């Protein structure tokens, strides 16, 4: 059940990151994939820096969204 929540939170984070980024990201499917990968990246970055946003759904959504925004930004640098 944990993996299912991880994927759902990643999808929501990808949608949120696509809406928050200027230009809307790279389309629905890519934003969803970036959200799932960004969830892993966000959790890793927050752990690396030592920031704890909590273990609940809201904390996971925050770290996943920030990770997805960061990943979309990196991808946009190489897409030009």
């Amino acid at each position: 059940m944990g993996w299912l929540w991880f994927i759902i939170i990643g999808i929501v984070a990808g949608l949120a990151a696509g809406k928050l980024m200027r230009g809307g990201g790279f389309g629905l499917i890519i934003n969803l994939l970036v959200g799932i990968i960004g969830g892993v990246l966000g959790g890793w970055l927050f752990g690396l820096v030592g920031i704890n946003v909590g273990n609940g759904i809201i904390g996971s959504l925050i770290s996943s969204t920030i990770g997805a925004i960061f990943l979309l930004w990196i991808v946009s640098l190489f897409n030009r």
Side-chain angles (χ1 to χ4, degrees):
M1 192 68 176
W3 284 101
L4 181 63
W5 279 114
F6 177 74
I7 291 171
I8 291 170
I9 289 173
I11 288 171
V12 172
L15 289 173
K19 296 294 182 189
L20 292 173
M21 290 291 292
R22 188 178 342 145
F26 295 102
L28 182 64
I29 301 298
I30 300 299
N31 285 350
L32 297 180
L33 292 174
V34 166
I36 294 170
I37 297 168
V40 174
L41 181 65
W44 178 73
L45 285 175
F46 274 52
L48 188 67
V49 178
I51 299 173
N52 185 10
V53 292
N55 293 329
I57 293 175
I58 301 298
S60 297
L61 186 60
I62 291 170
S63 65
S64 295
T65 303
I66 292 173
I69 288 171
F70 184 70
L71 190 58
L72 279 175
W73 177 71
I74 289 173
V75 170
S76 71
L77 291 176
F78 291 109
N79 195 24
R80 295 179 186 181

Coordinates of all heavy atoms in Angstrom, one line a residue:
M1 N 0.8 -1.2 0.0 CA 0.0 0.0 0.0 C 0.9 1.3 0.0 O 0.5 2.3 -0.5 CB -0.9 0.0 1.2 CG -2.0 1.0 1.2 SD -3.1 0.6 -0.1 CE -4.3 1.8 0.2
G2 N 2.1 1.2 0.6 CA 3.0 2.3 0.6 C 3.4 2.8 -0.8 O 3.5 4.0 -1.0
W3 N 3.6 1.9 -1.7 CA 4.0 2.2 -3.0 C 2.9 2.9 -3.8 O 3.1 3.8 -4.6 CB 4.5 1.0 -3.8 CG 5.8 0.6 -3.4 CD1 6.2 -0.4 -2.6 CD2 7.1 1.2 -3.8 NE1 7.5 -0.5 -2.4 CE2 8.1 0.5 -3.2 CE3 7.4 2.2 -4.6 CZ2 9.4 0.8 -3.3 CZ3 8.7 2.5 -4.8 CH2 9.7 1.8 -4.2
L4 N 1.7 2.5 -3.5 CA 0.5 3.1 -4.2 C 0.4 4.6 -3.7 O 0.2 5.5 -4.6 CB -0.8 2.3 -3.8 CG -2.0 2.9 -4.5 CD1 -2.0 2.8 -6.0 CD2 -3.2 2.1 -4.0
W5 N 0.5 4.8 -2.4 CA 0.5 6.2 -1.9 C 1.7 7.0 -2.5 O 1.5 8.2 -2.9 CB 0.6 6.3 -0.4 CG -0.8 6.0 0.2 CD1 -1.1 5.0 1.0 CD2 -1.9 6.9 0.1 NE1 -2.4 5.1 1.4 CE2 -2.9 6.2 0.8 CE3 -2.2 8.0 -0.6 CZ2 -4.2 6.8 0.9 CZ3 -3.5 8.6 -0.4 CH2 -4.5 7.9 0.3
F6 N 2.8 6.4 -2.6 CA 4.0 7.1 -3.2 C 3.7 7.5 -4.6 O 4.0 8.6 -5.0 CB 5.2 6.1 -3.1 CG 6.4 6.7 -3.7 CD1 7.2 7.6 -3.1 CD2 6.9 6.2 -5.0 CE1 8.4 8.1 -3.6 CE2 8.0 6.7 -5.5 CZ 8.8 7.6 -4.9
I7 N 3.1 6.7 -5.4 CA 2.8 7.0 -6.8 C 1.7 8.1 -6.9 O 1.8 9.0 -7.7 CB 2.4 5.7 -7.6 CG1 3.6 4.8 -7.8 CG2 1.8 6.1 -9.0 CD1 3.3 3.4 -8.3
I8 N 0.7 7.9 -6.1 CA -0.4 8.9 -6.1 C 0.1 10.3 -5.7 O -0.2 11.3 -6.3 CB -1.6 8.5 -5.2 CG1 -2.3 7.3 -5.8 CG2 -2.6 9.6 -4.9 CD1 -3.2 6.6 -4.9
I9 N 0.9 10.4 -4.6 CA 1.5 11.6 -4.2 C 2.4 12.2 -5.2 O 2.4 13.4 -5.5 CB 2.2 11.5 -2.8 CG1 1.2 11.3 -1.7 CG2 3.1 12.7 -2.5 CD1 1.7 10.9 -0.4
G10 N 3.2 11.3 -5.9 CA 4.1 11.8 -7.0 C 3.3 12.4 -8.2 O 3.7 13.4 -8.7
I11 N 2.1 11.8 -8.5 CA 1.3 12.3 -9.6 C 0.7 13.6 -9.2 O 0.8 14.6 -10.0 CB 0.2 11.3 -9.9 CG1 0.8 10.0 -10.6 CG2 -0.9 11.9 -10.8 CD1 -0.1 8.9 -10.8
V12 N 0.2 13.8 -8.0 CA -0.3 15.1 -7.6 C 0.8 16.1 -7.5 O 0.6 17.3 -7.9 CB -1.0 14.9 -6.2 CG1 -1.4 16.3 -5.6 CG2 -2.2 14.0 -6.3
A13 N 2.0 15.7 -7.1 CA 3.1 16.6 -7.0 C 3.5 17.1 -8.5 O 3.9 18.2 -8.7 CB 4.3 16.0 -6.3
G14 N 3.5 16.1 -9.4 CA 3.8 16.5 -10.8 C 2.8 17.4 -11.4 O 3.2 18.4 -12.1
L15 N 1.5 17.2 -11.1 CA 0.5 18.2 -11.6 C 0.7 19.6 -11.0 O 0.7 20.6 -11.6 CB -0.9 17.7 -11.2 CG -1.4 16.5 -12.0 CD1 -2.7 16.0 -11.4 CD2 -1.5 16.8 -13.5
A16 N 1.0 19.6 -9.6 CA 1.2 20.9 -9.0 C 2.5 21.6 -9.5 O 2.5 22.8 -9.7 CB 1.3 20.7 -7.5
A17 N 3.5 20.8 -9.7 CA 4.8 21.4 -10.2 C 4.6 22.0 -11.6 O 5.1 23.0 -12.0 CB 5.9 20.4 -10.2
G18 N 3.8 21.2 -12.4 CA 3.6 21.7 -13.8 C 2.8 23.0 -13.8 O 3.0 23.9 -14.7
K19 N 1.9 23.2 -12.9 CA 1.1 24.4 -12.7 C 1.9 25.5 -12.2 O 1.7 26.7 -12.5 CB -0.1 24.2 -11.9 CG -1.1 23.2 -12.4 CD -1.7 23.7 -13.7 CE -2.8 22.7 -14.2 NZ -3.3 23.0 -15.5
L20 N 2.9 25.2 -11.3 CA 3.7 26.3 -10.6 C 4.8 26.8 -11.5 O 5.2 27.9 -11.4 CB 4.2 25.8 -9.3 CG 3.2 25.5 -8.2 CD1 3.8 24.9 -7.0 CD2 2.5 26.8 -7.8
M21 N 5.3 25.9 -12.4 CA 6.4 26.3 -13.2 C 5.9 27.2 -14.4 O 4.9 27.0 -14.9 CB 7.1 25.1 -13.8 CG 7.9 24.2 -12.9 SD 9.3 25.0 -12.3 CE 10.3 25.1 -13.7
R22 N 6.8 28.2 -14.7 CA 6.4 29.1 -15.8 C 6.5 28.2 -17.1 O 7.4 27.5 -17.4 CB 7.4 30.2 -15.9 CG 7.0 31.2 -16.9 CD 7.9 32.4 -17.1 NE 8.8 32.6 -16.0 CZ 10.1 33.1 -16.1 NH1 10.5 33.4 -17.3 NH2 10.8 33.3 -15.1
G23 N 5.4 28.3 -17.9 CA 5.4 27.6 -19.1 C 4.6 26.3 -19.0 O 4.4 25.6 -20.0
G24 N 4.2 25.9 -17.8 CA 3.3 24.7 -17.6 C 4.1 23.4 -17.7 O 3.4 22.4 -17.8
G25 N 5.4 23.4 -17.6 CA 6.1 22.1 -17.6 C 6.2 21.6 -19.1 O 6.3 22.3 -20.0
F26 N 6.1 20.3 -19.2 CA 6.3 19.6 -20.5 C 5.2 18.7 -20.9 O 5.4 17.8 -21.7 CB 7.6 18.7 -20.4 CG 8.8 19.5 -20.1 CD1 9.4 19.6 -18.9 CD2 9.4 20.2 -21.2 CE1 10.5 20.3 -18.6 CE2 10.6 20.9 -20.9 CZ 11.1 21.0 -19.7
G27 N 4.0 19.0 -20.4 CA 2.8 18.2 -20.8 C 2.5 17.3 -19.7 O 3.2 17.0 -18.7
L28 N 1.3 16.7 -19.7 CA 0.7 16.0 -18.6 C 1.5 14.7 -18.3 O 1.8 14.5 -17.1 CB -0.8 15.6 -19.0 CG -1.5 14.9 -17.9 CD1 -1.7 15.7 -16.7 CD2 -2.9 14.4 -18.4
I29 N 1.8 13.9 -19.3 CA 2.5 12.6 -19.0 C 3.9 12.9 -18.4 O 4.2 12.2 -17.4 CB 2.5 11.8 -20.3 CG1 1.1 11.5 -20.8 CG2 3.3 10.5 -20.0 CD1 0.3 10.7 -19.9
I30 N 4.6 13.8 -19.0 CA 6.0 14.0 -18.6 C 5.9 14.6 -17.2 O 6.7 14.3 -16.3 CB 6.7 15.0 -19.5 CG1 6.8 14.3 -20.9 CG2 8.1 15.3 -19.0 CD1 7.6 13.0 -20.9
N31 N 5.0 15.5 -16.9 CA 4.8 16.1 -15.6 C 4.5 15.1 -14.5 O 5.0 15.1 -13.4 CB 3.8 17.2 -15.5 CG 4.3 18.5 -16.2 OD1 5.4 18.7 -16.5 ND2 3.3 19.4 -16.4
L32 N 3.7 14.1 -14.9 CA 3.4 13.0 -13.9 C 4.6 12.2 -13.6 O 4.8 11.8 -12.5 CB 2.2 12.1 -14.5 CG 0.9 12.8 -14.7 CD1 -0.1 11.8 -15.3 CD2 0.4 13.5 -13.5
L33 N 5.3 11.8 -14.7 CA 6.6 11.0 -14.5 C 7.6 11.8 -13.7 O 8.3 11.3 -12.8 CB 7.2 10.6 -15.8 CG 6.3 9.6 -16.6 CD1 7.0 9.4 -18.0 CD2 6.3 8.3 -15.8
V34 N 7.7 13.1 -14.0 CA 8.6 14.0 -13.2 C 8.2 14.1 -11.8 O 9.0 14.1 -10.9 CB 8.8 15.4 -13.9 CG1 9.4 16.4 -13.0 CG2 9.5 15.2 -15.2
G35 N 6.9 14.1 -11.5 CA 6.4 14.1 -10.2 C 6.8 12.9 -9.4 O 7.1 13.0 -8.2
I36 N 6.7 11.7 -10.0 CA 7.0 10.5 -9.3 C 8.5 10.5 -9.0 O 9.0 10.2 -7.9 CB 6.6 9.3 -10.1 CG1 5.1 9.2 -10.2 CG2 7.2 8.0 -9.5 CD1 4.5 8.2 -11.2
I37 N 9.3 10.8 -10.0 CA 10.8 10.9 -9.8 C 11.2 12.0 -8.8 O 12.0 11.9 -8.0 CB 11.5 11.1 -11.1 CG1 11.3 9.8 -12.0 CG2 13.0 11.3 -11.0 CD1 11.7 10.0 -13.5
G38 N 10.4 13.1 -8.9 CA 10.7 14.3 -8.0 C 10.4 14.0 -6.6 O 10.9 14.5 -5.7
G39 N 9.4 13.0 -6.4 CA 9.1 12.6 -5.0 C 10.4 12.0 -4.4 O 10.7 12.2 -3.2
V40 N 11.0 11.1 -5.1 CA 12.3 10.5 -4.6 C 13.3 11.6 -4.4 O 14.0 11.6 -3.4 CB 12.7 9.4 -5.6 CG1 14.1 8.8 -5.2 CG2 11.7 8.3 -5.7
L41 N 13.5 12.4 -5.4 CA 14.5 13.5 -5.4 C 14.3 14.4 -4.2 O 15.2 14.8 -3.5 CB 14.5 14.2 -6.7 CG 15.6 15.4 -6.8 CD1 17.0 14.8 -6.8 CD2 15.4 16.1 -8.1
G42 N 13.0 14.8 -4.0 CA 12.7 15.7 -2.9 C 12.9 15.1 -1.6 O 13.5 15.8 -0.7
G43 N 12.5 13.9 -1.4 CA 12.8 13.2 -0.1 C 14.3 13.1 0.1 O 14.8 13.2 1.3
W44 N 15.1 12.8 -0.9 CA 16.5 12.7 -0.8 C 17.1 14.0 -0.4 O 18.0 14.1 0.4 CB 17.1 12.1 -2.0 CG 18.6 12.0 -2.0 CD1 19.4 11.1 -1.3 CD2 19.5 12.8 -2.7 NE1 20.7 11.3 -1.5 CE2 20.8 12.4 -2.4 CE3 19.4 13.9 -3.6 CZ2 22.0 13.0 -2.9 CZ3 20.5 14.5 -4.1 CH2 21.8 14.1 -3.7
L45 N 16.7 15.1 -1.2 CA 17.3 16.4 -0.9 C 16.9 16.9 0.5 O 17.8 17.5 1.2 CB 16.8 17.4 -2.0 CG 17.4 17.3 -3.4 CD1 16.7 18.3 -4.3 CD2 18.8 17.6 -3.3
F46 N 15.7 16.7 0.9 CA 15.3 17.2 2.2 C 16.1 16.4 3.3 O 16.5 17.0 4.3 CB 13.8 17.0 2.4 CG 13.0 18.2 1.9 CD1 13.1 18.6 0.7 CD2 12.1 18.8 2.8 CE1 12.4 19.7 0.2 CE2 11.3 19.9 2.3 CZ 11.5 20.3 1.0
G47 N 16.3 15.1 3.1 CA 17.1 14.4 4.1 C 18.6 14.8 4.1 O 19.2 14.8 5.1
L48 N 19.1 15.1 2.9 CA 20.5 15.6 2.8 C 20.7 16.9 3.5 O 21.7 17.0 4.2 CB 20.8 15.7 1.3 CG 22.3 16.0 0.9 CD1 23.1 14.8 1.3 CD2 22.4 16.3 -0.5
V49 N 19.8 17.8 3.4 CA 19.9 19.1 4.0 C 19.5 19.0 5.5 O 19.9 19.8 6.3 CB 19.0 20.1 3.3 CG1 19.1 21.5 4.0 CG2 19.4 20.2 1.9
G50 N 18.8 18.0 5.9 CA 18.4 17.8 7.3 C 17.0 18.4 7.6 O 16.7 18.7 8.8
I51 N 16.2 18.7 6.6 CA 14.9 19.3 6.8 C 13.9 18.2 7.0 O 13.8 17.3 6.1 CB 14.5 20.2 5.7 CG1 15.5 21.4 5.6 CG2 13.1 20.8 5.9 CD1 15.3 22.2 4.3
N52 N 13.1 18.2 8.0 CA 12.0 17.2 8.2 C 10.7 17.9 8.1 O 10.3 18.7 8.9 CB 12.2 16.6 9.6 CG 11.2 15.4 9.8 OD1 10.5 15.0 8.9 ND2 11.1 15.0 11.0
V53 N 9.9 17.5 7.1 CA 8.6 18.1 6.9 C 7.5 17.2 7.4 O 6.3 17.6 7.3 CB 8.3 18.5 5.4 CG1 9.2 19.6 4.9 CG2 8.5 17.2 4.5
G54 N 7.8 16.1 8.0 CA 6.9 15.2 8.6 C 6.7 14.0 7.8 O 7.2 13.9 6.6
N55 N 6.1 13.0 8.4 CA 5.9 11.7 7.7 C 4.5 11.5 7.1 O 4.3 10.5 6.6 CB 6.2 10.6 8.7 CG 7.7 10.6 9.1 OD1 8.5 10.9 8.3 ND2 7.9 10.1 10.3
G56 N 3.7 12.5 7.2 CA 2.3 12.4 6.8 C 2.2 12.7 5.3 O 3.2 12.9 4.6
I57 N 0.9 12.7 4.8 CA 0.7 12.9 3.4 C 1.1 14.3 3.0 O 1.6 14.6 2.0 CB -0.8 12.6 3.1 CG1 -1.1 11.1 3.3 CG2 -1.2 13.1 1.7 CD1 -2.5 10.8 3.1
I58 N 0.8 15.3 3.9 CA 1.1 16.7 3.6 C 2.6 16.9 3.5 O 3.1 17.5 2.5 CB 0.5 17.6 4.6 CG1 -1.0 17.5 4.7 CG2 0.9 19.1 4.4 CD1 -1.8 17.8 3.4
G59 N 3.4 16.3 4.4 CA 4.8 16.5 4.3 C 5.4 15.8 3.1 O 6.3 16.3 2.4
S60 N 4.9 14.6 2.7 CA 5.3 14.0 1.5 C 4.9 14.7 0.3 O 5.7 14.8 -0.7 CB 4.7 12.6 1.4 OG 5.1 11.8 2.5
L61 N 3.8 15.3 0.3 CA 3.3 16.2 -0.9 C 4.2 17.4 -1.0 O 4.6 17.7 -2.1 CB 1.9 16.5 -0.7 CG 1.2 17.3 -1.9 CD1 1.3 16.4 -3.1 CD2 -0.2 17.6 -1.6
I62 N 4.6 18.0 0.1 CA 5.4 19.2 0.0 C 6.8 18.8 -0.5 O 7.3 19.5 -1.4 CB 5.6 19.9 1.4 CG1 4.2 20.5 1.8 CG2 6.7 20.9 1.4 CD1 4.2 21.0 3.2
S63 N 7.4 17.8 0.0 CA 8.8 17.4 -0.4 C 8.7 16.9 -1.9 O 9.7 17.2 -2.7 CB 9.4 16.4 0.5 OG 8.7 15.2 0.5
S64 N 7.7 16.2 -2.3 CA 7.6 15.7 -3.6 C 7.4 16.8 -4.6 O 8.0 16.8 -5.7 CB 6.4 14.7 -3.8 OG 6.6 13.6 -3.0
T65 N 6.6 17.8 -4.2 CA 6.3 19.0 -5.1 C 7.6 19.8 -5.3 O 7.9 20.2 -6.4 CB 5.2 19.9 -4.6 OG1 4.0 19.1 -4.4 CG2 4.9 21.0 -5.5
I66 N 8.3 20.0 -4.2 CA 9.6 20.8 -4.3 C 10.6 20.0 -5.2 O 11.3 20.6 -6.0 CB 10.1 21.1 -3.0 CG1 9.2 22.2 -2.3 CG2 11.5 21.7 -3.0 CD1 9.5 22.5 -0.9
G67 N 10.7 18.7 -5.0 CA 11.6 17.8 -5.8 C 11.2 17.9 -7.3 O 12.0 17.9 -8.1
A68 N 9.9 17.8 -7.6 CA 9.4 17.9 -8.9 C 9.7 19.2 -9.6 O 10.1 19.3 -10.8 CB 7.9 17.5 -9.0
I69 N 9.5 20.3 -8.8 CA 9.8 21.6 -9.4 C 11.3 21.7 -9.7 O 11.7 22.2 -10.7 CB 9.4 22.7 -8.4 CG1 7.9 22.8 -8.4 CG2 10.0 24.1 -8.7 CD1 7.3 23.7 -7.3
F70 N 12.1 21.2 -8.8 CA 13.6 21.2 -9.0 C 14.0 20.4 -10.2 O 14.8 20.8 -11.0 CB 14.3 20.7 -7.7 CG 15.8 20.7 -7.8 CD1 16.4 22.0 -7.7 CD2 16.5 19.6 -7.9 CE1 17.8 22.0 -7.8 CE2 17.9 19.6 -7.9 CZ 18.6 20.8 -7.9
L71 N 13.3 19.2 -10.4 CA 13.6 18.4 -11.5 C 13.2 19.0 -12.8 O 13.9 19.0 -13.8 CB 13.0 17.0 -11.3 CG 13.4 15.9 -12.3 CD1 14.9 15.7 -12.3 CD2 12.7 14.6 -11.9
L72 N 12.0 19.6 -12.8 CA 11.5 20.3 -14.0 C 12.4 21.5 -14.4 O 12.6 21.7 -15.6 CB 10.1 20.8 -13.8 CG 8.9 19.8 -14.0 CD1 7.6 20.5 -13.6 CD2 8.9 19.3 -15.4
W73 N 12.9 22.2 -13.4 CA 13.8 23.3 -13.7 C 15.1 22.7 -14.3 O 15.6 23.3 -15.3 CB 14.1 24.0 -12.4 CG 15.1 25.1 -12.5 CD1 14.9 26.3 -13.2 CD2 16.5 25.1 -12.0 NE1 16.1 27.0 -13.1 CE2 17.0 26.3 -12.4 CE3 17.2 24.2 -11.3 CZ2 18.3 26.7 -12.1 CZ3 18.5 24.5 -11.0 CH2 19.1 25.8 -11.4
I74 N 15.7 21.6 -13.8 CA 16.9 21.1 -14.3 C 16.6 20.6 -15.8 O 17.4 20.8 -16.7 CB 17.4 19.9 -13.5 CG1 18.0 20.5 -12.2 CG2 18.5 19.1 -14.2 CD1 18.3 19.4 -11.1
V75 N 15.5 19.9 -16.0 CA 15.2 19.4 -17.3 C 15.0 20.6 -18.3 O 15.4 20.5 -19.5 CB 13.9 18.5 -17.3 CG1 13.4 18.2 -18.7 CG2 14.2 17.3 -16.5
S76 N 14.4 21.7 -17.8 CA 14.2 22.9 -18.7 C 15.5 23.5 -19.1 O 15.6 24.1 -20.2 CB 13.3 23.9 -18.0 OG 13.9 24.5 -17.0
L77 N 16.5 23.4 -18.3 CA 17.9 23.9 -18.6 C 18.5 23.2 -19.8 O 19.1 23.8 -20.7 CB 18.8 23.9 -17.4 CG 18.5 24.8 -16.2 CD1 19.5 24.5 -15.1 CD2 18.6 26.2 -16.7
F78 N 18.2 21.9 -19.8 CA 18.8 21.1 -20.9 C 17.9 21.1 -22.2 O 18.4 20.7 -23.2 CB 19.0 19.6 -20.5 CG 20.1 19.5 -19.5 CD1 19.9 19.2 -18.1 CD2 21.5 19.7 -19.9 CE1 20.9 19.1 -17.2 CE2 22.5 19.6 -18.9 CZ 22.2 19.3 -17.6
N79 N 16.7 21.5 -22.0 CA 15.7 21.4 -23.1 C 15.9 22.6 -24.1 O 15.4 22.5 -25.2 CB 14.3 21.4 -22.6 CG 13.3 21.0 -23.7 OD1 13.7 20.3 -24.6 ND2 12.1 21.4 -23.5
R80 N 16.6 23.6 -23.7 CA 16.7 24.8 -24.5 C 17.7 24.5 -25.6 O 18.0 24.5 -26.5 CB 17.2 26.0 -23.7 CG 16.2 26.4 -22.7 CD 16.7 27.5 -21.9 NE 15.7 27.8 -20.9 CZ 15.8 28.8 -20.0 NH1 16.8 29.6 -20.1 NH2 14.9 28.9 -19.1

